[in-house]
Amino acid sequence: MDAGGHVFSVDPLERNAAKGHGVITSMAAGNDVILLGTSRGWIIRHDFGAGDSFDLDLSGGRAGEQPVHRVFADPGGSHCIATVLHPGGGETYYTHAKWGRPRPITRLKGLVVNAVAWNRQQITEASTREIILGTDNGQIYEMAVDEVDKREKYVKVLFELTELPEAIMGLQMETAPVGNATRCYVMAVTPTRLYSFTGIGSLDTVFSSYSDRAVHFMELPGEIPNSELHFFIKQRRAKHFAWLSGAGIYHGDLNFGAQHSSTSGDENFVENKGLLNYSKLSDTAEAIIPWSLSVSEFHFLLLIGDKVKVVNRISQKIVEELKFDHAPESISKGIIGLCSDATAGLFYAYDESSIFQVSVHDEGRDMWQVYLDMKDYATALAHCRNPFQRDQVYLVQADAAFSTKDFYRAASFYAKVNYILSFEEISLKFIGIGEQDALRTFLLRKLDNLASEDKCQITMISTWVTELYLDKINRLLLEDNSTTVGNGRSNDISEYESIIKEFRAFLSDSKDVLDEATTMRLLESYGRVDELVFFAALKEHYETVVHHYIQQGETKKALEVLQRPNVPMDLQYKFAPDLVMLDAYETVESWMSSRKLNPRKLIPAMMRYASEPHAKNETHEVIKYLEFCVHNLLNEDTGVHNLLLSLYAKQEDDSALLRFLQCKFGKGRPNGPDFFYDPKYALRLCLKAKRMRACVHIYSMMSMHEEAVALALQVDPELAMAEADKVEDDEDLRKKLWLMVAKHVIEQEKGTKRENIRKAIAFLKETDGLLKIEDILPFFPDFALIDDFKEAICSSLEDYNKQIEQLKQEMNDATHGADNIRGDISALAQRYAVIDRDEECGGCRRRILNGGTNRMARGYTTVGPLAPFYVFPCGHTFHAHCLIAHVTRCSSQAEAEYILDLQKQLSLLGGAASKDVSVGSNEESIKSMTPADNLRSRLDDAIASECPFCGDLMIKEISQPFVLPEETDQLASWEVNPPVQAQKILPMIM
């Protein structure tokens, strides 16, 4: 044991525990409850949890020795079964913790019960549920007792040993769910055999299935009268078992969830079986058989003589010897038995009068060392409790592998050692023997075990691993060069490829911890260009990667790198000249697949490519890309359009150039331009390249129609005619252009005179009457005969005659229209209206024809006794002063001031205006109009141009508010004031 002290300790628990009821013959424990059977038929119950005890009499009033053969307690300490031996046989009793008097089990009368198996999974405080009892005559019974019923529910025989009838000395039972059913496992031992029963369903079903099949059993030599079977229980589940047999302690692990099974299908839950020979329990050759047995998690407690020896279950070595301090007055023969309390985790030993408690103190603390000594490293690691213990396990494994020259395995284990052995010591182990590969493995595993906080150490180790990889690659290359062609060479090549792949994987995993500059210098110093490019790509140094691929002529790989989403766009423009010269097709295809590129920044690369000579039938890749930008991407950059136009101009066939010039690139935009190239640059370029048709189109587009026609005449007269006909909004310019064409046509004709004249006349017809014969006559020579133009001149004279007749007709129509207008004017002066006698003024509602009124507008004279008035065609009539007042009120301030000013001027003229208003309807009066009449006419136009009730004045009043701004005070007087609140009257106290 280590310095932590003993695992097991002994404490006297109860002296004179029999209380005068004889001596202790049997003992059982469960849940801090101890049940003692005495030689006089008593059961003494000690409940340490409740702190009380009481005695139960099983003697039935019979005198003499009636020893309690066996006493059994359930794990909860509530149920108890005891067998008392009488001269006439045995009698079995059941008692509950709440009972004061035990009940005999009549069905078992005369039978000696040696073993009881409790159903730990289903037992409750009130009911035992199914329990199994083993008797002295080799029978197995099933029984159930309810505390409420005060008696057993049933007792029935499950099985009987017939082949070799022996006493059942030990029973254990375990259940486990299987789907919706329950699987039962039962183990029973006799002095020589261990039987196992298993099946699905009730106990009755399980045991009845063995009526037609053999029972599985384990038989060991030797026979002892005190054979025992124990399960170690942890968390209400059995973990392992031990059988105290004549040959030794047969033990093993229990795995009730295991799927494997034996040929008989019975022993599928027993694993790691072993036998502890009794010869290991003493220093002599003679085997000492223990008298009793208890099982802990890792140890056996064996009662040998007056001592309890603690044996490690795994190593089978004695780890302690427990001695007991008996009472001085005791006449005990020594320890007579052991029992365990699975619920409380305690063990007890007893002699004839005393009870001793055996406590367990962390018994698994040194199990890692036990497993390590047995070289069960995995289990040893599972039982380690601190890093130092794990280091020792790893170190033992590493040293073992190192000693057998399994250096790779040793490196893996050394990498897990953190405290016992330093990093430097382990590294020197491999360096000293020249195992570079094992050292690399150790460093890699060390990296896996380091925490992320150890950044400095991770970087240094990763750099060292990088250098070891490079050294390994170089050594493989040297070996490859020194070997001959054969199997060895192919193996070296495969190993070389494997190490390259492994190295690249390491670089990918360690790219974030490796120092960038150091790593790249290492790769460069070892000449590993491919790995240098690979690492640069990992670190996103794409410029280095692309430059390498261009040097190697691998355009596709370079373009693939540039097309990655995280690659800066500037690299596309930087390497574009080299890539397009290396492989124009692949480069342009890559450009076309990326819509993020700015074509303007690619112009230097495209111009470099365009400056190189190309075959006639070769597809011009730059033109293809520019066409894609212009037509598909709708690019509007002037530089792009100019470059495309310049490349078109260099082609022998000008059809593509003309199509480009005729395209209206801005037609998709509202008010967009027809082109985006520079027309002056285009004209200069086409003139230099002698693309005359293109120049004609550019002149026309720039509205330089005279230059366009002049140049077109040098190329094709038909083109000149088409250009001249384009001008539609300027008749003079259009005629001038056609005259230029006519002059050229006449001067260029080389036929006979009559034929030339005939062609000139035909040309005049093409102008659709724009040119006459007299327009083109100056272009003919002076000695041309007039007879040759006779027909054309006659035709022209006839046209003029028609025009003269048309003008005469128009003049007659104008004269007739003027006469009609004069008649209308005369009729307008003689207009009159009939006024009804009761007609009222639209303003004051008084009769218009009411004589004797004193109110008269200033500037107006009365007509007899009547006041001046206005009559409108719609029938409304107004006094003059009423109409003036209404119009000025409804008009704007400027119009009102104008009307009042006219009225004031009329009043100032005074007597000059005293004319009869009825006079002046004739022409003489109109011609001799006085200033007063002029003012009155202007006043009439201002106030009487339209009826105020039917014209625009009434329509404008719709937008006027009902309440004018100056009437706000009057409007406020109509507001309803809120009612005055009633005053609160306070009572007066006298």
Side-chain angles (χ1 to χ4, degrees), residues 457-518:
Q457 191 172 1
I458 290 174
T459 301
M460 293 178 64
I461 295 177
S462 299
T463 306
W464 192 2
V465 171
T466 302
E467 190 168 8
L468 290 175
Y469 268 119
L470 293 172
D471 179 68
K472 174 67 173 178
I473 293 170
N474 276 2
R475 282 190 283 112
L476 288 175
L477 287 175
L478 291 174
E479 292 173 4
D480 181 42
N481 293 332
S482 61
T483 55
T484 56
V485 178
N487 294 332
R489 179 181 174 83
S490 62
N491 292 336
D492 289 340
I493 292 175
S494 62
E495 186 181 359
Y496 173 77
E497 293 174 351
S498 175
I499 200 68
I500 288 292
K501 186 177 180 180
E502 184 180 337
F503 180 43
R504 292 196 175 192
F506 169 75
L507 290 176
S508 299
D509 296 337
S510 307
K511 63 182 178 64
D512 296 327
V513 298
L514 283 169
D515 181 70
E516 183 179 331
T518 304

Side-chain angles (χ1 to χ4, degrees), residues 284-295:
T284 62
E286 182 180 357
I288 302 176
I289 299 177
W291 181 252
S292 185
L293 166 71
S294 280
V295 182

Side-chain angles (χ1 to χ4, degrees), residues 45 132 163 352 409 441 451 544 688 754 768:
R45 177 184 174 91
I132 304 175
E163 180 187 356
E352 291 181 345
R409 190 164 180 268
T441 302
T544 303
K688 182 179 179 180
R754 288 186 176 276
D768 196 17

